[in-house]
Amino acid sequence: MDTLTSDKIEGARAIADFLGYEGAEGERKVRHLRARCTGCPIRKRGGIGIYAFKSELTAWLAAEETLPGQRPA
């Protein structure tokens, strides 16, 4: 298995699990993040569905602009 394949998460449920969200509510949160959050690394492509990369999600979550209480300068 190559690095790219092992880093890829496919489906809203799998992404929700990685982010620590549970159940159907977690899947809705993932779809909301993708639709509403600028720079969110969750993608959707016809025929493939929703997918993301663990490394990009981790970096995005750690970024200063995504931390709670932070406002853009």
Side-chain angles (χ1 to χ4, degrees):
M1 183 182 303
D2 65 17
T3 304
L4 187 62
T5 303
S6 65
D7 193 39
K8 188 175 183 181
I9 308 169
E10 296 186 41
R13 176 165 290 180
I15 296 169
D17 288 345
F18 179 79
L19 295 174
Y21 300 139
E22 295 181 9
E25 183 179 333
E27 291 181 55
R28 283 191 298 274
K29 285 181 181 182
V30 166
R31 287 183 170 80
H32 176 81
L33 283 172
R34 185 191 161 275
R36 306 267 190 244
C37 294
T38 303
C40 179
I42 299 171
R43 300 168 172 88
K44 182 175 182 182
R45 186 170 294 171
I48 297 175
I50 293 177
Y51 67 98
F53 294 95
K54 295 174 188 176
S55 57
E56 290 180 354
L57 286 172
T58 301
W60 179 69
L61 290 171
E64 206 170 293
E65 59 271 8
T66 58
L67 293 175
Q70 297 295 319
R71 293 181 180 214

